[in-house]
Amino acid sequence: MQYLMLTLVALLLAGSFAINKLYQKKFGTSLEKSMLFVCLSGAFMTVEFFIKTGFNVCFTPFSLIASALANLCEVFYTVIGFRLLKEGTMYAYTGFLMSGGMLLPFVFGICFLNEKAELLKIIGLVFILAGLVLSGTNGNKKDRIKFSHILLCCTVFIVNGFVSIISKVHQTQTVYAVSDIDSYIVFGSFFKFVLGGIIYLFIRLKNKDKEVSIGEKATDALPETSCDNKTKRSVLTMILIVLASTVAGGLSGMLMLIGAKSLPASVLYPFSTSGTIIFSTIFGAVFYKEQITPKTVASVVACLIGTLLFL
């Protein structure tokens, strides 16, 4: 039952990534659009889980601080990620992001939570990391990492690792009182909504003069009713995409927190990471017609073997 839950986590997380890619294809990869996505998803998830709590949020200082730190890390690596994506290092960013979210909590669990460093798990980890490296070298040469970006990629690796560690510590420590999982998500998503909104408004104000000029030209070129209808359709499409991503991401995050309470970190994060890679590859091929190369197949096989060694 636990492994079925982790499979569902990977499926939902890969679905969320696929939906995020749809957002990027339709609305771009600029910092402004990424922060708008962060703000909207934070707002939707706050409402979603606030309703789920029955409008009764359980407040504890420790949970508030932990959720805020975790979501600060998420916003931070999103900013870095969109910069790397813009500069053509998408595969390197994805590889560093996911490997950091897996490797650091794995090591943390062994070093600080008295989890056993079993030989099969270590071998499985090597297979999964090999799969990540292979997935990070797919595509054109221009998509590969440049030396000038190593520092940013290492930052993504560490920051996402901290997100997983914070969640694990929140669910397993017994010193401080903690909120229930739904309340924890409400705190974090509201923090993300506020922070993403502040950054988005700052960027909008900074680019206001430029956008006014572009808007005047667009108004001259098209009838006002046509512009209005196009804008309404665009806004509705954006809301639906962000809402779908929020539901998938929110459910996967909730299941991960449930798993973090009972499963070892050395099982939870490698399993969910490798599963996400496998499902993401499938979704990319099915929905975006992405080419499956020999390296892609080798990456999926390596992740699958690594996952089986954790069972």
Side-chain angles (χ1 to χ4, degrees):
M1 188 65 181
Q2 290 176 328
Y3 293 113
L4 179 61
M5 181 184 71
L6 290 180
T7 302
L8 182 58
V9 167
L11 182 63
L12 289 169
L13 192 56
S16 178
F17 287 159
I19 297 169
N20 292 355
K21 184 170 183 177
L22 177 62
Y23 176 90
Q24 293 173 357
K25 288 175 70 70
K26 285 188 171 293
F27 303 105
T29 60
S30 67
L31 180 60
E32 177 186 333
K33 296 301 183 183
S34 69
M35 287 299 101
L36 179 58
F37 182 89
V38 166
C39 179
L40 291 175
S41 63
F44 292 154
M45 194 171 295
T46 300
V47 174
E48 175 186 351
F49 281 88
F50 187 56
I51 294 173
K52 193 173 182 296
T53 63
F55 305 98
N56 185 24
V57 176
C58 174
F59 172 83
T60 63
F62 182 79
S63 292
L64 178 64
I65 294 171
S67 61
L69 286 174
N71 281 272
L72 176 62
C73 290
E74 289 186 15
V75 173
F76 186 45
Y77 73 60
T78 298
V79 172
I80 297 175
F82 269 79
R83 176 178 173 182
L84 290 171
L85 185 62
K86 183 178 180 180
E87 294 177 358
T89 55
M90 179 179 66
Y91 295 110
Y93 164 68
T94 303
F96 275 82
L97 178 74
M98 300 189 73
S99 59
M102 173 190 63
L103 182 59
L104 292 188
F106 177 88
V107 175
F108 182 84
I110 293 173
C111 294
F112 299 102
L113 301 178
N114 299 319
E115 297 178 359
K116 294 181 180 179
E118 299 175 9
L119 179 60
L120 285 179
K121 290 182 180 179
I122 294 175
I123 296 174
L125 181 65
V126 172
F127 270 98
I128 294 172
L129 287 175
L132 286 169
V133 171
L134 288 171
S135 71
T137 56
N138 282 321
N140 300 322
K141 291 183 178 180
K142 68 178 182 179
D143 291 326
R144 298 178 183 175
I145 188 171
K146 299 177 182 178
F147 287 109
S148 60
H149 301 151
I150 287 179
L151 181 59
L152 290 177
C153 288
C154 289
T155 302
V156 166
F157 178 95
I158 294 171
V159 171
N160 194 39
F162 274 118
V163 172
S164 298
I165 290 173
I166 290 169
S167 298
K168 181 65 180 178
V169 170
H170 177 268
Q171 293 302 98
T172 58
Q173 66 83 35
T174 57
V175 178
Y176 302 101
V178 297
S179 304
D180 58 274
I181 293 173
D182 292 339
S183 297
Y184 177 84
I185 295 176
V186 168
F187 297 149
S189 55
F190 182 74
F191 177 84
K192 185 186 292 186
F193 160 66
V194 173
L195 183 60
I198 290 173
I199 297 174
Y200 171 72
L201 290 175
F202 175 79
I203 297 171
R204 288 285 293 174
L205 289 173
K206 185 178 179 180
N207 298 330
K208 186 176 180 180
D209 293 339
K210 182 179 179 179
E211 288 198 351
V212 168
S213 175
I214 294 174
E216 289 175 351
K217 292 179 180 180
T219 302
D220 292 338
L222 294 171
E224 185 176 352
T225 54
S226 177
C227 290
D228 289 343
N229 291 334
K230 185 177 180 180
T231 300
K232 289 178 181 178
R233 287 195 298 270
S234 179
V235 170
L236 179 59
T237 300
M238 178 182 290
I239 290 174
L240 291 175
I241 291 174
V242 176
L243 186 58
S245 175
T246 301
V247 171
L251 289 176
S252 66
M254 182 185 69
L255 292 175
M256 280 285 284
L257 287 169
I258 293 173
K261 198 171 185 66
S262 58
L263 288 173
S266 54
V267 173
L268 175 64
Y269 297 103
F271 191 102
S272 58
T273 296
S274 59
T276 301
I277 293 174
I278 293 170
F279 284 123
S280 293
T281 302
I282 295 172
F283 289 163
V286 172
F287 297 113
Y288 297 106
K289 309 301 180 183
E290 293 181 355
Q291 184 179 5
I292 297 181
T293 64
K295 284 185 178 180
T296 303
V297 175
S299 172
V300 172
V301 170
C303 288
L304 182 59
I305 294 173
T307 301
L308 292 175
L309 290 173
F310 275 86
L311 298 179

